[in-house]
Amino acid sequence: MASLLDPQSRGKVILVGAGPGDPGLLTLRAVEALKSADIVVHDGLIDPRVLDYAPADAQRISVAKQRARHTLPQEAINALIVAHVRTGAIVVRLKGGDPFVFGRGGEEVEAVRAAGLTVEVVPGVSAALGCAAEAMLPLTHRDWSSAVSFVAGQCKGLSEQDWSGLAGVGRTLVIYMGVASGGCIADKLMTDGLAPDMPVAVLERGTLPGSRAMRTVLADLGGLIDREKVQSPAIIVVGEVVLLSDAENRLTAFASQAEALS
């Protein structure tokens, strides 16, 4: 760690995208940044194998967030980062996916710059790209989809969000953080005019051990999440491109089970 006794010493923050989970999807620059870290401030879902790239003596600080329960509010995370950088430390802020895709990276950059400190951003493979690749699900396709949109699906303010035109024939919609509100999301999209039989995929723990890729139709989205006990991290993909993927058709499986029991 740089010493405060050295007038030339100056810490900095490196916001690093850790990708969707598999350490093999880290960029070379991300590994370099981790190896240089004095302190790693990391999200809760980071694979321990990713943290192993940091020096053994680097301090590791978890700022894990869970639904409705944060270890630290965002303002406190910002203050924590700034305080450590001011000691001359190299602070790696390790974030799942990409720092600038639903990662609050923009807020952290603003806070560091407002403190007059140096910040660098290392992009990462976003959850949508990593999970879709594992499931062989092309988010765009010349014959099926010429546009893709990313939205956050938390319940708070969901009814006020305007998703009109983001999903439908020729378009793909990717929903982050939507597991807890899957039924509400389906209702919202159908109310906006999307067909109840529009294909939908749920990609759970993409690129991680125990990952699952499942598909159904929009009207059954909430039912699938409940039946399969889907847990975060997971993303939802809505669009015809789902039919090109390796995702297992869980609606057909459920119907077969129900018929066998009748």
Side-chain angles (χ1 to χ4, degrees), residues 81-166:
I81 293 169
V82 167
H84 280 294
V85 176
R86 281 179 169 155
T87 71
I90 295 178
V91 177
V92 167
R93 174 65 173 105
L94 191 60
K95 308 174 80 68
D98 180 273
F100 283 172
V101 180
F102 300 120
R104 298 190 178 183
E107 297 174 43
E108 292 174 3
V109 166
E110 287 180 286
V112 174
R113 283 184 163 178
L117 301 171
T118 301
V119 60
E120 175 187 347
V121 178
V122 178
V125 176
S126 72
L129 301 183
C131 297
E134 182 181 59
M136 295 294 176
L137 197 166
L139 297 179
T140 64
H141 190 287
R142 284 199 304 167
D143 297 327
W144 294 89
S145 176
S146 61
V148 58
S149 301
F150 303 96
V151 298
Q154 300 102 318
C155 274
K156 183 178 180 180
L158 181 62
S159 60
E160 285 75 38
Q161 295 180 36
D162 183 6
W163 294 356
S164 58
L166 298 184

Side-chain angles (χ1 to χ4, degrees), residues 172-189:
T172 306
L173 179 63
V174 180
I175 304 165
Y176 286 68
M177 300 169 284
V179 169
S181 51
C184 297
I185 288 170
D187 290 342
K188 174 183 178 64
L189 291 172

